């Protein structure tokens, strides 16, 4: 099950999707939203160690190029 949480901010808002296995499906979820099949990933060392490979694999499976910046 995937849940969408809206984050309202002054002058803008965005949605955060939360759900089991969502990173493994990230490419399929993100691809329809892109004008060009490329993204930048900004993360930290802890999150990158645990999840970056899964995300990069999911993006690549959908033909989405990515570059990661780990802080």
């Amino acid at each position: 099950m995937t849940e969408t949480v809206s984050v309202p901010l002054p002058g803008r808002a965005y949605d955060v999707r939360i759900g089991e296995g969502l990173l493994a499906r990230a490419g399929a979820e993100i691809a329809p939203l892109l004008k060009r099949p490329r993204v930048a990933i900004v993360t930290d060392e802890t999150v990158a160690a645990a999840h970056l490979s899964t995300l990069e694999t999911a993006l690549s499976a959908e033909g989405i190029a990515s570059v990661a910046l780990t802080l």
Side-chain angles (χ1 to χ4, degrees):
M1 180 171 117
T2 301
E3 181 180 345
T4 301
V5 177
S6 295
V7 180
L9 297 172
R12 62 188 173 103
Y14 62 93
D15 292 337
V16 176
R17 300 202 54 199
I18 302 167
E20 188 165 336
L22 196 54
L23 275 182
R25 298 190 319 269
E29 297 279 336
I30 293 169
L33 305 174
L34 300 176
K35 291 182 182 179
R36 296 183 191 144
R38 60 184 184 199
V39 297
I41 303 164
V42 180
T43 186
D44 66 26
E45 292 178 357
T46 302
V47 174
H51 302 292
L52 183 58
S53 177
T54 300
L55 177 57
E56 289 175 324
T57 298
L59 294 170
S60 179
E62 295 296 324
I64 300 170
S66 65
V67 60
L69 174 62
T70 303
L71 306 174

